[in-house]
Amino acid sequence: MKYLIVYAHPEPKSLTGHLKDRAVGALTAAGHDVVVSDLYAMGWKAVADGDDFPVRDRGAPLNYGYASKEAYAAGNQSTDIAEEQRKLLWADVVVLQFPFWWYGMPAIMKGWFDRVYAYGFAYGVGPHGGAQWGKRFGEGILLGKRAMVAMTVGGRMSHYGPRGVNGNIDDLLWPIHHGLLFYPGLTVVPPAVFYEVNKATPDAVESMAQAYIRRLLDIEAAESIAFRSQNGGDYDELQVLKPEHGDDRIGHALHQSGTPFVSNTFLGVLGDYTPRHISPTSRDAA
């Protein structure tokens, strides 16, 4: 298989960097092809601006979305953007690997999406009107590929549980899972999340590495998060979930069919990294 790891950490010797290096080595040894977009090492330009469109009329006001549409269609995008799009089309598996900073990904990775997800490439695809509003959320240019978030977290797992002060980790990852990955058609598997990493012992680090490698090697057979397809019949003509779906769930869990996942956890010692299904009501449990 062909793996693209989009990686963001400024320190190569970090735990995140160690896990990335171990994953690349194991995947390569198993016969897979691996490409890493190391955003800091690449000096990735995170700011989306008019310089992304070398041929545009600089005397006209910039509408970034429509400028990206024109540049993508004409083949006039900045070369770094076009290269990352090529990698996405090449890959069978897309992995986002980063430390969890201020409730999200590092800014450099957000800038990767801002620039690479051009109009006509990742969005604005297909007919828009009535019951079908584009080929998205279960359709799109990346349909048939798999994706996973691999993330290190400094805080305690309990802080990110159903009643944790930081909010449920699955809800915090919703914009990434559903918005950035599922939107253009990727099949999303539950994330590899490692908590309390600043307190991890050498044995715990090795356990994390082994668990991460297993998740990557087994990703083709992994059960995916069962997000509802926008055009699969669960939503009405305004793309609102029909009242017969979602039972007593609230929030983001409404948009999963079947029983929702809870992300794997790590408690700073040798841990259990297995994603599990939970009942909708268990999100209210301690």
Side-chain angles (χ1 to χ4, degrees):
M1 296 178 68
K2 295 174 289 187
Y3 289 75
L4 169 63
I5 301 176
V6 184
Y7 165 79
H9 200 293
E11 175 49 63
K13 296 180 180 179
S14 64
L15 174 60
T16 303
H18 173 74
L19 293 174
K20 180 263 295 178
D21 291 342
R22 291 288 301 276
V24 170
L27 290 170
T28 302
H32 300 291
D33 296 322
V34 185
V35 169
V36 177
S37 285
D38 183 340
L39 301 184
Y40 282 95
M42 293 161 58
W44 178 260
K45 173 180 168 290
V47 178
D49 58 24
D51 290 338
D52 293 340
F53 317 114
V55 185
R56 81 176 186 92
D57 178 3
R58 294 183 176 270
L62 174 66
N63 181 312
Y64 191 90
Y66 285 107
S68 74
K69 178 182 181 180
E70 293 176 356
Y72 175 69
N76 292 328
Q77 299 174 106
S78 176
T79 55
D80 58 345
I81 293 174
E83 174 61 11
E84 296 305 298
Q85 291 170 349
R86 184 196 65 78
K87 294 176 186 177
L88 281 169
L89 295 175
W90 166 85
D92 300 309
V93 176
V94 178
V95 180
L96 305 181
Q97 187 166 1
F98 57 91
F100 197 55
W101 287 352
W102 284 109
Y103 300 90
M105 58 179 59
I108 197 170
M109 183 174 282
K110 176 57 165 59
W112 185 88
F113 282 98
D114 289 343
R115 299 180 64 225
V116 173
Y117 270 24
Y119 191 136
F121 177 78
Y123 73 103
V125 178
H128 287 64
Q132 181 167 340
W133 197 259
K135 292 185 176 181
R136 59 177 189 167
F137 298 123
E139 298 177 291
I141 198 168
L142 302 182
L143 184 65
K145 304 172 184 291
R146 301 206 135 207
M148 185 179 79
V149 167
M151 190 171 72
T152 51
V153 181
R156 297 177 178 176
M157 179 274 292
S158 60
H159 295 173
Y160 296 91
R163 296 173 64 87
V165 68
N166 283 331
N168 192 310
I169 193 67
D170 300 289
D171 290 334
L172 295 173
L173 286 174
W174 166 264
I176 298 174
H177 281 159
H178 193 264
L180 296 178
L181 299 177
F182 187 60
Y183 188 109
L186 288 159
T187 297
V188 186
V189 305
V193 183
F194 303 105
Y195 297 94
E196 296 188 72
V197 295
N198 295 322
K199 299 179 179 180
T201 65
D203 285 345
V205 170
E206 179 61 23
S207 183
M208 285 189 282
Q210 292 295 334
Y212 182 34
I213 289 167
R214 286 196 301 272
R215 291 292 309 279
L216 290 173
L217 290 173
D218 296 340
I219 198 168
E220 189 174 17
E223 187 176 2
S224 63
I225 301 174
F227 290 129
R228 301 178 188 273
S229 173
Q230 174 187 270
N231 298 320
D234 288 352
Y235 297 88
D236 64 19
E237 66 279 1
L238 297 177
Q239 293 75 53
V240 173
L241 190 64
K242 295 177 180 177
E244 62 265 29
H245 299 300
D247 47 62
D248 60 348
R249 301 178 204 181
I250 60 173
H252 302 143
L254 279 168
H255 302 283
Q256 290 186 46
S257 60
T259 307
F261 274 107
V262 62
S263 295
N264 52 312
T265 61
F266 174 64
L267 302 177
V269 295
L270 299 182
D272 181 357
Y273 307 90
T274 307
R276 293 182 176 84
H277 288 289
I278 57 172
S279 64
T281 55
S282 70
R283 289 178 177 255
D284 296 327

